[in-house]
Amino acid sequence: MKLAQKVTQKAKLNQTLRSWLPILQASSDELKDTLEPFIKDNPFAKIEIDKPHHSKNFYNEFYSNHVSDRIEQMSVYECSLYEKLYSQIDKPLFPTQKSKDIANAIIECINSEGYFEYNDEILAKFDAKDVEKIRKRFAYLEPIGVGAKDYKESFLFQLDELCDDDEIYTLAKDMINDFENLSKYTKQKNYENALKIIKKFKNPPAVEYLEDEAQVTPDIYVFTTDEGVEVKVNDEFYPEILIDTEGIDEKCEFVSSRIKEARDLIDALEMRKATLYKIGLMIIEYQYDYFLGGDIKPMKLKDIAGDLGRNPSTISRAIQNKFLSCSRGIVALKNFFAAAASEDISNAAIKDFVKNLIKQENHQKPLSDEAILACIEKDFGIKIVRRTITKYRKALNIGSSSQRKKIYAINS
C-alpha cells in the first residue's frame, strides 16, 4: 500500500515538473505565453491575468500609499534584451533542437551590455566547438553586435550589417582589427568613409536596453524594516488558472483528465512561487549586508542549490531574466552570484568600482591598469596583481587606456 502511494506521488510530481521547469525559467512577463500551450486544448481551463480590485494587496498592507505608488511605477515594463534574444531563437538560424538548446544557453551567458561571457556551469554539457559555431550566428540577431566577445568582434558583427561597399568594408575591417594603431590608416583613400561607418556602431551593443534596465518587472521585493529584512514574491499580477466545470460530469474520463492537467499547472505555478521565495530568502541570508548598504559578497550557484536541495542548473534557470527590487534599486538575481576576489569582497563589487572609475576618467589621460590597481588597493584595502585588473577590464569589455583614448577622440 505504501509503495503504491509513493509511486502515485512520484508520478504526480513528475507530471508537475514537466510544466514547472519552463514556467520556472520564464520571466514574469513571459508567464502567460508560457502557460498558454499547456491549456490551449483544455475546454475547462483558462488563464486570467487581471486580478479583481478587491484582491489582497500586500504592498498596501506593508507600506504606506506613496511607497506602493513607487513600486507600481517601478513595475512599468518594456521588452528586455533577453526576451528580444529568446524570441529570435528559431529557424532558419537554429533549425535543430540542439542548436536551439545551445543558443538559449549562450543567451544565459550574455551580460547586460550584450557581450558574451563564457560560463562553465551553463555550457559544460555542450562541446566548445559547437558553442562557438552557434555563437557566431548571433551576428545575425538584433540588437546588432550582440553575442560578441568584445567590442572589436561586436564592431565586425555590425560592419557586416551596415556596410555594403566592398572597398570601404575591407578598410573598415582592417581598422577595427588594428584599432590600437588607427592613425596609420588616415592616408587611405576611404579612411573618412570607413570612419563614418565605425562611428555609427553601438558600443556596447545593447546600449539601448541599459537605459531601460529600471523598467523591468521585479519578481521579488525585499523590504528593510525596523525588524530586519523581509522578502515577498511579486504575485500581484501572476496569471491565474481558472477551472470551470459547472454542469459537467467530472467523473467522465475526458473531463477528469483535463481537470488534472489544469491542477498540475496550478501546482507548477505554486512551485515557481515557492522556489523564487526560497531563493529570495537565501539571497537575504547570504547578502544581508548588501540590503543595509554593503557590497555583494561571494555566492555560488552550488551554495544555494545545496541549501535548497536542487540541482545548480535548476537554480540557474530560476534566476535567469529575473529581478529583485529593494531600496537600492532593481537588481538582476544573477548579479548576486559572484566569484570571490577576497573573503569579504566580490568580483562584482570590484568590477562596479572599475566601471565607475572609467566612467569618470579624464578622456585626455585615461587611467592605466596600474592606476586602477592603486585606486582599488586604496579603497578596498586588498592586495591583487595588475593582471587581475586587466582580466576584470576585459570581462567588462573595456579597452586599454590607449584604446579608450582613441575611442574618445573618435566620439569627440
Side-chain angles (χ1 to χ4, degrees):
M1 186 70 177
K2 288 183 179 179
L3 179 61
Q5 197 173 29
K6 285 182 179 180
V7 170
T8 302
Q9 289 174 345
K10 186 175 180 180
K12 180 179 180 181
L13 181 60
N14 288 341
Q15 177 63 32
T16 304
L17 283 175
R18 277 195 286 271
S19 51
W20 174 62
L21 288 176
I23 290 171
L24 178 66
Q25 186 164 341
S27 69
S28 294
D29 300 280
E30 297 170 327
L31 263 181
K32 182 177 182 294
D33 291 338
T34 304
L35 292 169
E36 281 180 339
F38 290 101
I39 66 166
K40 67 177 181 179
D41 297 322
N42 193 329
F44 310 111
K46 67 176 182 178
I47 300 173
E48 182 72 43
I49 294 295
D50 296 320
K51 292 188 176 183
H53 293 298
H54 62 269
S55 64
K56 183 179 179 181
N57 185 330
F58 69 79
Y59 307 121
N60 289 335
E61 297 177 353
F62 200 91
Y63 268 175
S64 61
N65 288 334
H66 75 278
V67 176
S68 296
D69 291 340
R70 182 173 63 83
I71 292 172
E72 185 175 346
Q73 290 167 4
M74 287 194 298
S75 299
V76 177
Y77 177 78
E78 289 185 5
C79 179
S80 73
L81 168 65
Y82 301 99
E83 281 186 303
K84 179 70 174 177
L85 292 175
Y86 282 123
S87 70
Q88 298 174 79
I89 306 305
D90 207 344
K91 296 178 180 179
L93 286 175
F94 311 100
T96 66
Q97 188 57 50
K98 180 181 178 181
S99 65
K100 288 185 177 70
D101 290 342
I102 294 175
N104 285 327
I106 288 172
I107 290 174
E108 292 185 39
C109 299
I110 290 177
N111 65 26
S112 60
E113 293 184 333
Y115 289 111
F116 172 79
E117 296 177 346
Y118 195 94
N119 186 309
D120 286 325
E121 289 186 15
I122 295 172
L123 298 171
K125 62 181 178 180
F126 303 113
D127 182 82
K129 290 182 179 178
D130 289 337
V131 171
E132 185 62 12
K133 178 182 175 182
I134 297 300
R135 188 188 67 81
K136 292 289 188 180
R137 299 179 193 176
F138 276 61
Y140 303 99
L141 301 187
E142 294 180 354
I144 306 168
V146 74
K149 292 182 177 179
D150 53 36
Y151 78 93
K152 283 188 178 182
E153 189 178 36
S154 176
F155 283 4
L156 292 174
F157 283 3
Q158 295 177 63
L159 180 64
D160 286 337
E161 183 71 22
L162 298 176
C163 183
D164 54 9
D165 183 294
D166 289 342
E167 289 187 5
I168 296 175
Y169 176 91
T170 301
L171 177 59
K173 185 176 181 179
D174 290 342
M175 289 167 62
I176 292 167
N177 285 324
D178 194 22
F179 211 74
E180 298 82 358
N181 302 299
L182 206 58
S183 58
K184 79 179 188 182
Y185 296 91
T186 55
K187 294 182 180 180
Q188 295 281 345
K189 181 178 70 172
N190 288 307
Y191 174 76
E192 291 297 332
N193 291 326
L195 193 60
K196 283 180 183 178
I197 294 289
I198 293 174
K199 283 186 175 182
K200 291 180 181 179
F201 296 160
K202 292 179 292 183
N203 185 34
V207 62
E208 69 266 34
Y209 292 93
L210 290 175
E211 295 170 358
D212 294 332
E213 194 170 310
Q215 297 182 338
V216 297
T217 302
D219 299 270
I220 298 171
Y221 287 104
V222 172
F223 300 96
T224 305
T225 69
D226 293 338
E227 299 173 357
V229 180
E230 295 190 27
V231 62
K232 297 284 184 180
V233 173
N234 181 12
D235 62 356
E236 183 68 7
F237 303 103
Y238 248 68
E240 288 186 292
I241 309 298
L242 303 181
I243 301 175
D244 182 9
T245 57
E246 186 176 353
I248 303 295
D249 180 10
E250 295 189 29
K251 294 181 181 179
C252 169
E253 185 177 347
F254 173 79
V255 175
S256 63
S257 65
R258 293 297 182 271
I259 292 175
K260 181 182 181 305
E261 288 174 3
R263 286 175 177 160
D264 284 339
L265 206 55
I266 292 171
D267 289 343
L269 269 176
E270 290 304 316
M271 286 178 71
R272 181 188 194 274
K273 291 181 188 178
T275 302
L276 285 176
Y277 178 72
K278 289 176 182 177
I279 289 174
L281 289 177
M282 296 308 301
I283 287 175
I284 288 177
E285 182 177 335
Y286 277 85
Q287 308 288 357
Y288 192 84
D289 290 343
Y290 172 80
F291 298 104
L292 300 178
D295 293 319
I296 292 177
K297 292 185 177 180
M299 183 178 182
K300 296 180 181 178
L301 282 176
K302 65 180 181 181
D303 293 334
I304 196 168
D307 288 339
L308 295 181
R310 297 289 184 191
N311 190 291
S313 64
T314 300
I315 303 303
S316 176
R317 287 190 185 200
I319 65 174
Q320 289 306 315
N321 208 17
K322 308 284 195 314
F323 298 85
L324 177 151
S325 176
C326 63
S327 60
R328 299 184 67 174
I330 296 179
V331 186
L333 292 189
K334 67 177 184 179
N335 287 358
F336 290 102
F337 296 84
S342 71
E343 185 178 350
D344 298 313
I345 301 168
S346 72
N347 286 351
I350 294 181
K351 285 180 180 179
D352 284 342
F353 183 79
V354 171
K355 195 183 295 184
N356 289 329
L357 270 182
I358 291 174
K359 278 182 181 178
Q360 300 169 24
E361 71 181 353
N362 184 339
H363 288 192
Q364 302 300 318
K365 193 177 180 181
L367 294 167
S368 65
D369 287 353
E370 289 82 0
I372 294 172
L373 174 63
C375 292
I376 288 173
E377 290 183 343
K378 178 182 177 181
D379 279 59
F380 288 90
I382 60 174
K383 284 288 183 183
I384 53 179
V385 295
R386 186 192 60 77
R387 65 175 177 272
T388 302
I389 303 303
T390 305
K391 183 181 76 170
Y392 288 162
R393 180 173 52 71
K394 288 181 177 179
L396 292 166
N397 297 294
I398 296 172
S400 65
S401 56
S402 60
Q403 289 171 338
R404 299 199 305 277
K405 189 172 184 178
K406 289 182 174 70
I407 292 173
Y408 293 146
I410 288 174
N411 293 328
S412 60

